[in-house]
Amino acid sequence: TILAMVASVEKNSKHPGALAIVKEAEKRNLAFYDVKAFAENSGRGVRGFISVDEKTKLMIFCGNKKYINEICDLSGNKIELPQVKGAMAIYVAINEKLCYAFFAKDKIKEESISLIKDLEQMNIKSVLLSGDSKTAVEEVATSCGIELQNTYSEILPHEKAEVIERL
């Protein structure tokens, strides 16, 4: 199944979205494929070869919108990548052709909301830095009580460090 293929590649990633996909595949007791030539582009996506059978080898790409747009060269096409309001998206391309999208929403822990409120009472502002879409980040910020002007979305790990240095 596509979930087994994607989970096999994502198994090598530490990204929360990847972990959710792997967890779902494990919950369904899916068999994982061996992955060759795994590579991670930090904050953007991953790729790896899997062998479906003796004759069929597939290059699986999983990542954010920018990464998949580059892999599939969608710039000249009118393809609009699907989005789900407030959800993190992981797009999947097989052999450089866009095929699937997985969506997941963050579950906010009550302790996190309480901590942010406590910090606010001490006049300490919270800032949310994320590689997720603007709508996903704004939904999390709103549910946690973080002011929208203190949110940064669709940023890469090195950009998060730059924001922190500026703060």
Side-chain angles (χ1 to χ4, degrees), residues 93-129:
I94 299 176
N95 293 342
E96 299 181 10
K97 300 224 182 320
L98 178 65
C99 298
Y100 300 92
F102 290 87
F103 299 95
K105 285 192 173 191
D106 288 324
K107 185 175 181 180
I108 309 301
K109 294 179 182 172
E110 201 55 48
E111 305 87 61
S112 299
I113 296 170
S114 179
L115 176 63
I116 290 168
K117 286 180 183 174
D118 290 346
L119 291 170
E120 190 75 26
Q121 288 178 351
M122 294 186 289
N123 286 329
I124 299 172
K125 298 283 183 200
S126 295
V127 177
L128 178 57
L129 309 170

Side-chain angles (χ1 to χ4, degrees), residues 128-143:
L128 178 57
L129 309 170
S130 176
D132 291 342
S133 71
K134 183 176 182 179
T135 57
V137 169
E138 287 178 352
E139 189 169 298
V140 170
T142 300
S143 66

Side-chain angles (χ1 to χ4, degrees), residues 47-113:
R47 69 167 169 78
F49 275 107
I50 62 167
S51 295
V52 178
D53 55 41
E54 290 180 16
K55 295 180 182 179
T56 310
K57 290 186 180 9
L58 302 173
M59 177 60 90
I60 309 291
F61 299 89
C62 310
N64 65 24
K65 190 175 185 176
K66 289 178 186 174
Y67 181 66
I68 295 300
N69 267 320
E70 289 170 13
I71 297 302
C72 299
D73 191 24
L74 299 175
S75 56
N77 297 327
K78 297 280 185 202
I79 296 172
E80 186 62 34
L81 295 179
Q83 293 188 354
V84 173
K85 187 179 187 292
M88 163 183 42
I90 297 176
Y91 299 99
V92 178
I94 299 176
N95 293 342
E96 299 181 10
K97 300 224 182 320
L98 178 65
C99 298
Y100 300 92
F102 290 87
F103 299 95
K105 285 192 173 191
D106 288 324
K107 185 175 181 180
I108 309 301
K109 294 179 182 172
E110 201 55 48
E111 305 87 61
S112 299
I113 296 170

